[in-house]
Amino acid sequence: MKLFKYRFFAFLNLVVLQFVSLYGFAQEQHIGIIPKPVSVEKRTGTFNFSSETEVLAKTKQEMAFAVFIKSYLKEFGRIDLKSAGSSVSAKNNLYLEIDSTKITNPEGYILEVSASQIKITGADGSGIFYGLQSLMQIIHKSEKGALSVPACKIIDYPVFSYRGMHLDVSRNMFSTGTIKKWLDILSFYKINTFHWHLTDDQGWRIEIKKYPQLQQTAAWRSETLIGHKRTEPHLFDGLEYGGYYSQKDIREVVAYAAERKITVIPEIEMPGHALAALSAYPGLGCVGGPYQPARYWGVFDDVFCAGNDKTFEFIEGVLDEVIDLFPSKYIHIGGDECPKTRWKVCPKCQKRIKDENLKDEHELQSYFIRRVEKYVESKGRKIIGWDEILEGGISPGATIMSWRGEEGGIAAAKLKHNVIMTPEKFVYLDYYQSRQKSEQIAAGGFTPLSKIYEYNPLPPALNEDEKKYILGVQANVWSEYLPDAQKAEYMIFPRIIALAEVAWSKNQQKDYPDFLNRLDGQSRFLKQVNYAKSDYDVYGSMRDGTRYELKSDRPNTEIRYTLDGTYPNSKSAVYDKPLAIPNSGNLKATSFFKGKQQGNVFEQHFEISLATGKTVLLKDLPSANYGVGKQTLVNGVEGTYLYNTGEWMGFSGKDLEAVVDLGSSKLITEVGIGILKYHWQKMWEPERLTFELSVDGKNYQQVYQLLDFPVEGINRVRQKINPMAARYIRIKAINKGIIPKGEYGAGGNAWLMADEIIVN
Ligand code: ACM
Ligand code: ZN
C-alpha cells in the first residue's frame, strides 16, 4: 500500500458546489461587468424578475441555456422562471436567441434590457453563454430578495479568440472538484481555454492505459523539497507524493469545461521535463537509467533520447490516448528547457544527427518536434509548443507560446505562425504579488495586479498584419510552491481576473481605476475562493536616485509611513510625494481607506553611503529587462531576492564597468557592491570583481579584488581598505560568459546582476 500525502481520490466523489449557488448580494444599481464590454449604454427603467417572468428559447441549443439561467435564478433569487412556448404571454420575459445576422463574432453577444424584456442575442451558443455571464454580474438583489436589472444595451465581443489559464499539476496536483470550481470562475470571466500541464519531471498525471508503468512509477515521487529551491542545502519532507487523473476524471473535466465554453488543451512535455516518464520507461533515455521522478524543481539533463525510435513509438502511443480524450484542435507538446547535454554524447542521438543531415543538437530538437507534429497532424490536430521550439527551425504548423519574453512570439508572428503570449514577466501567477516580508514563498519576481492588468499582448514591434497572428494571451500557474488549493487560489485570484480583461477587452478601453471599481463589485462572486487582497499592499521604488516613491495597486487609498522604525498607524505621516532619504534607516508604510488600515506593512531599508545619489558612468548599458536608470547602482536601495523589481542591474553576456564620481575628493575607508548569484535564473557571479580608486579619473589604483562569491543568492560584498583619498571609484565585474555545461541555460549567455555600490 502506497502512502498518500494527499488522499487525492477521496475528493473525487465530493459533490461539487456550483459556483452559481454561492452568489451573494448586490447593493447598488451599477453596471460593473468584468471583462469590460465593448459598449455599455445605460437606459432608463428597470427590469424586475417575478414569478410570472417567462424564459423564451426556441431551439434546442437556446433551450440548454434557458435551463442554465433558470437553475441559477432559482438558487440566487428563489425564483422559478416559467418556460414560454414559442411565444411569450407574460408582461416580462427573458429571451435567448441565436442569430448570426445581428452579431458576427462567434463569442459576441448583445444584451438588451428594458422594463419588459431581457434579450440576449448571440451569433452562437458561446455568445448566449457570455451574455448570460454578463447578465449574472448585473442582476441586483434587494434586501428583501427582489431581483432587478438596470435597463441597458450592451454590445460585446472579445479582442482575442484565445483567452487562457494554464495549470501545472505535476509539481502539485489539485482535485477535479477544485479544478471544476476554478473552471466555473474562469468561464464567468469569459476565459475560454484551460491549458492542463499534465506531465513533467516531478510526476506524470494522466492515465495512459497502454503504459501502466506511468501510473505505477511515473506518478509517484519519493519526497518533495521543502522551501524555496534557491535555499541551499535542499531539505526534503520524506513523504511520498503522487497520484494521477484517471481517463474517467479527464473526460469529466473536459465535458464540464465544454459546458462552460472552455476548451481543455492537454500538455504532454517533450523532449525535456521527462524524468517522470523516464523513471517508468528508462530505455527511452540516452543513458538507460535508472531514473526517478524529480524531488525538487529545476531543469534536468535526462530527457527523451531523440535517436531512439522507441521514444517516438512511446510518444505516439501516449498521444493516441490523449487525442482520444481531448477534442481540442491543439495538443501542447511542451518543448521548453531541454538541455542538450545527453544528446551531445549519445551515440544514437549523434547517429540521428548524421543520418538526418542535421547541423547540431538544436536541429535535433527541431527534428524531434517536427516528427511529433507530423503525427499529431495526421490525426487532424495542431501542435502548440513553448518558444524554444523556434530554435533549430520551427515546425511548419506550430503555434508558439511565448513565455521567456515576447521575443519568441514576435519572431514567430513575423514567420506567419500563430502565437499565444504568456511572457513570464507579466503573466506568470507563480510570481510574487506583494512585497510584504511575510509573504509565503513564490517562484520569484514581482507581478502585482496592476502589472498584469497593464499588459498589452500586441507588441508595437509587429505591424497590423503580423498582429493578426497573436491569437491571445494566457496566465500560467506553475505549482511548485502551491502545495494546496488555498495557496493556489491566493496566487490565481484576483490576478486572473485582470488577465481576463487583458484578453477580452480592447487595450485602449482598459482603465485600471475603473477596473478596480468593478473588481470591488465582484467580491460577492469571489467569496468562495481564497483570493488575495495584496492590491492594497504598499510597495516602493527609488525614482530619481534620491527620492523614494510609494505606491499601492489601489490608487485611491491613503498611504501613511514612518521613518523611525515604528509601525505606521492612522496618525502617521501621510505620503503625498516622493520622500527624500538623507540617512540609512528603515521606512515602514501601509495603506488606509476611510481611516481603516487595508494593506500589510511594507518595509524598506535604505543604505546611504558617499556614493548614494552621485553620478555614475557606465561603459556598457545594461540589458533592457534589467536596466532601469543608471542611478540604480547608487540609489540607496539594495536589490532583494525579487530580481525583477528594477533594483538589479543586469548584463547579459557583458561586463559591468562603472565609475562613480563623488564630485570632490573624499577619504575612503570602505567599498562594496551587491552581486546576485541565482544559477536557477541564469544569473552568475562574476569571474572577477575589482575596485579601483582615482583622484583625477585617469590614474587608478586597485584597492580590492574578489574572485569568490560563496552565497547562492545575494552576495553583499563589503571591504575595509587602507584609508585613501579619491574622487573616482571604478568597479569592474567580469561576466562569467557562457553558462557551463550541466547548468541551467548551458551554452547561453550568463547574466551578471549587480546592485548598490557602497563607498564609505
Ligand atoms: C516554462 O515556464 N518553462 C514554459
Ligand atoms: Zn540519445
Side-chain angles (χ1 to χ4, degrees):
M1 200 41 204
K2 298 219 178 219
L3 270 176
F4 284 64
K5 185 172 173 191
Y6 294 99
R7 290 220 163 252
F8 181 70
F9 293 98
F11 288 110
L12 295 187
N13 292 327
L14 277 181
V15 176
V16 179
L17 282 175
Q18 295 285 318
F19 179 50
V20 292
S21 71
L22 288 166
Y23 285 4
F25 298 86
Q27 292 105 21
E28 317 153 35
Q29 297 271 323
H30 67 105
I31 300 178
I33 297 168
I34 298 181
K36 193 178 199 165
V38 172
S39 80
V40 176
E41 181 197 327
K42 285 191 189 177
R43 293 179 168 175
T44 47
T46 304
F47 179 94
N48 294 302
F49 280 99
S50 77
S51 54
E52 298 302 312
T53 305
E54 289 182 342
V55 189
L56 178 59
K58 291 176 185 156
T59 68
K60 205 171 151 211
Q61 199 187 1
E62 292 159 358
M63 226 90 91
F65 296 107
V67 170
F68 174 88
I69 191 67
K70 276 176 72 169
S71 80
Y72 167 66
L73 289 170
K74 199 166 174 178
E75 284 287 347
F76 179 53
R78 310 254 173 275
I79 279 188
D80 236 334
L81 297 191
K82 293 182 174 159
S83 291
S86 56
S87 65
V88 278
S89 51
K91 276 204 295 291
N92 76 6
N93 63 80
L94 168 58
Y95 182 11
L96 308 178
E97 184 192 39
I98 292 176
D99 182 348
S100 57
T101 62
K102 296 205 177 112
I103 184 144
T104 51
N105 186 305
E107 295 181 303
Y109 66 91
I110 300 168
L111 168 60
E112 268 187 288
V113 181
S114 69
S116 59
Q117 188 179 60
I118 297 173
K119 183 169 184 192
I120 297 175
T121 311
D124 199 351
S126 296
I128 301 282
F129 180 78
Y130 291 136
L132 286 171
Q133 305 311 306
S134 291
L135 174 65
M136 278 148 51
Q137 290 191 28
I138 60 170
I139 296 179
H140 299 280
K141 191 175 190 175
S142 74
E143 291 198 347
K144 290 199 180 116
L147 302 187
S148 64
V149 188
C152 61
K153 179 174 184 181
I154 294 171
I155 301 173
D156 200 11
Y157 49 87
V159 171
F160 294 108
S161 62
Y162 186 111
R163 305 179 300 279
M165 187 181 95
H166 147 289
L167 181 69
D168 166 17
V169 291
S170 173
R171 282 56 179 257
N172 282 294
M173 69 189 299
F174 308 94
S175 70
T176 53
T178 294
I179 290 175
K180 286 177 183 172
K181 177 169 106 171
W182 296 344
L183 290 174
D184 280 337
I185 306 178
L186 296 182
S187 70
F188 189 64
Y189 296 108
K190 305 186 177 84
I191 285 176
N192 66 358
T193 310
F194 174 53
H195 167 178
W196 205 354
H197 183 85
L198 287 160
T199 75
D200 214 301
D201 300 302
Q202 294 79 6
W204 182 285
R205 305 271 174 249
I206 171 172
E207 179 188 21
I208 300 294
K209 294 188 194 285
K210 185 172 180 187
Y211 296 108
Q213 282 306 319
L214 290 174
Q215 284 71 256
Q216 275 146 44
T217 305
W220 303 93
R221 63 176 178 259
S222 58
E223 57 183 355
T224 302
L225 178 73
I226 298 171
H228 199 282
K229 69 173 173 184
R230 68 176 169 245
T231 309
E232 308 248 16
H234 283 167
L235 296 176
F236 295 89
D237 63 6
L239 296 167
E240 187 175 46
Y241 181 94
Y244 60 89
Y245 302 98
S246 69
Q247 297 204 347
K248 185 168 165 284
D249 295 334
I250 299 233
R251 286 189 201 281
E252 208 177 286
V253 169
V254 168
Y256 190 87
E259 282 170 17
R260 285 152 187 78
K261 303 297 169 193
I262 293 179
T263 301
V264 186
I265 296 180
E267 180 181 352
I268 305 297
E269 267 274 15
M270 63 190 81
H273 287 297
L275 257 184
L278 296 183
S279 72
Y281 296 96
L284 306 181
C286 291
V287 298
Y291 305 106
Q292 56 163 322
R295 303 168 302 141
Y296 62 98
W297 330 124
V299 172
F300 301 91
D301 281 342
D302 287 301
V303 303
F304 284 118
C305 177
N308 186 350
D309 280 333
K310 290 244 173 338
T311 296
F312 295 95
E313 199 182 289
F314 168 82
I315 285 170
E316 288 171 11
V318 167
L319 288 176
D320 286 344
E321 294 187 32
V322 167
I323 285 169
D324 186 49
L325 288 167
F326 294 89
S328 59
K329 168 175 161 191
Y330 293 110
I331 303 294
H332 200 306
I333 48 74
D336 61 321
E337 301 180 317
C338 178
K340 311 296 186 287
T341 318
R342 296 285 181 263
W343 291 0
K344 280 188 176 143
V345 292
C346 169
K348 286 195 204 110
C349 286
Q350 290 305 313
K351 180 169 187 303
R352 177 86 73 198
I353 287 178
K354 207 157 145 258
D355 292 351
E356 298 289 334
N357 269 322
L358 306 173
K359 200 168 84 214
D360 56 15
E361 289 73 22
H362 291 293
E363 289 200 356
L364 183 58
Q365 155 130 348
S366 183
Y367 164 86
F368 195 114
I369 301 294
R370 277 170 204 253
R371 184 160 165 178
V372 173
E373 178 186 47
K374 231 186 211 160
Y375 190 73
V376 170
E377 292 205 338
S378 76
K379 303 271 172 176
R381 309 296 181 89
K382 309 284 281 178
I383 62 160
I384 300 181
W386 299 109
D387 57 55
E388 285 94 329
I389 70 167
L390 281 158
E391 294 159 9
I394 187 171
S395 300
T399 294
I400 294 293
M401 212 167 245
S402 190
W403 75 276
R404 290 178 294 179
E406 294 185 299
E407 297 78 8
I410 292 169
K414 286 185 185 292
L415 292 168
K416 303 192 187 306
H417 280 257
N418 287 333
V419 171
I420 293 141
M421 284 295 187
T422 66
E424 58 174 339
K425 212 171 114 182
F426 293 99
V427 296
Y428 267 38
L429 301 187
D430 58 346
Y431 275 38
Y432 286 91
Q433 60 195 313
S434 166
R435 285 175 56 191
Q436 64 159 318
K437 281 210 171 117
S438 59
E439 194 72 1
Q440 288 182 60
I441 288 174
F446 179 53
T447 304
L449 185 66
S450 59
K451 188 166 175 180
I452 295 204
Y453 187 80
E454 276 146 25
Y455 179 60
N456 178 6
L458 296 175
L462 296 178
N463 66 33
E464 292 311 306
D465 269 349
E466 292 161 347
K467 281 179 183 164
K468 293 192 184 113
Y469 291 97
I470 311 290
L471 299 184
V473 57
Q474 173 174 289
N476 293 346
V477 181
W478 298 100
S479 64
E480 285 92 336
Y481 304 105
L482 310 180
D484 52 39
Q486 280 275 102
K487 176 78 183 294
E489 289 175 355
Y490 176 81
M491 299 302 279
I492 295 170
F493 304 102
R495 289 188 292 180
I496 193 67
I497 301 175
L499 189 280
E501 188 145 314
V502 168
W504 179 280
S505 309
K506 282 201 176 72
N507 193 53
Q508 310 88 281
Q509 274 194 313
K510 279 162 41 192
D511 174 340
Y512 183 61
D514 174 59
F515 169 73
L516 290 175
N517 275 337
R518 284 176 288 123
L519 183 63
D520 289 342
Q522 304 290 319
S523 57
R524 60 192 173 124
F525 307 120
L526 285 174
K527 276 196 300 215
Q528 61 164 329
V529 288
N530 177 38
Y531 68 100
K533 298 180 187 74
S534 310
D535 43 318
Y536 283 99
D537 290 355
V538 173
Y539 56 99
S541 58
M542 196 56 96
R543 271 300 154 222
D544 54 7
T546 51
R547 281 174 197 277
Y548 197 71
E549 184 178 62
L550 289 174
K551 263 204 236 178
S552 122
D553 265 11
R554 290 272 168 176
N556 58 350
T557 56
E558 185 177 59
I559 297 174
R560 290 179 183 267
Y561 70 95
T562 65
L563 282 165
D564 61 4
T566 61
Y567 277 87
N569 58 38
S570 60
K571 302 209 169 49
S572 303
V574 175
Y575 172 85
D576 58 359
K577 60 175 186 300
L579 304 167
I581 308 288
N583 302 309
S584 295
N586 292 308
L587 165 75
K588 291 192 169 81
T590 187
S591 69
F592 290 83
F593 188 66
K594 294 184 179 155
K596 204 164 158 263
Q597 184 180 337
Q598 301 290 323
N600 294 291
V601 174
F602 168 74
E603 298 185 45
Q604 176 65 54
H605 175 72
F606 297 101
E607 190 66 35
I608 306 298
S609 80
L610 289 177
T612 312
K614 297 299 188 309
T615 306
V616 181
L617 282 177
L618 290 168
K619 183 152 174 263
D620 275 314
L621 289 179
S623 312
N625 274 355
Y626 300 103
V628 211
K630 58 187 176 185
Q631 288 305 118
T632 303
L633 292 175
V634 289
N635 64 5
V637 176
E638 294 170 314
T640 68
Y641 60 94
L642 292 173
Y643 51 82
N644 75 340
T645 54
E647 276 313 327
W648 289 101
M649 191 170 265
F651 298 83
S652 175
K654 288 189 297 186
D655 304 336
L656 161 74
E657 185 174 329
V659 175
V660 182
D661 179 357
L662 299 180
S664 62
S665 206
K666 303 264 162 62
L667 190 67
I668 294 171
T669 60
E670 187 184 39
V671 291
I673 194 169
I675 296 288
L676 183 63
K677 175 175 160 187
Y678 268 174
H679 292 180
W680 62 284
Q681 281 292 336
K682 307 179 195 171
M683 295 167 180
W684 282 71
E685 66 279 21
E687 288 282 313
R688 185 171 75 246
L689 170 70
T690 56
F691 290 84
E692 298 161 292
L693 302 188
S694 167
V695 175
D696 57 9
K698 293 190 187 88
N699 301 299
Y700 280 91
Q701 182 183 336
Q702 183 173 312
V703 293
Y704 183 50
Q705 168 171 288
L706 187 61
L707 304 172
D708 265 353
F709 299 82
V711 182
E712 174 68 30
I714 301 169
N715 289 263
R716 294 215 194 278
V717 178
R718 293 281 183 284
Q719 183 64 31
K720 293 275 183 220
I721 58 167
N722 288 330
M724 179 178 165
R727 173 173 166 177
Y728 301 94
I729 298 96
R730 183 159 72 189
I731 297 108
K732 286 187 190 168
I734 309 302
N735 193 299
K736 175 81 182 169
I738 299 297
I739 299 173
K741 245 171 65 179
E743 299 284 352
Y744 175 50
N749 282 338
W751 283 93
L752 170 67
M753 305 294 289
D755 185 40
E756 219 42 30
I757 297 169
I758 304 290
V759 178
N760 284 315

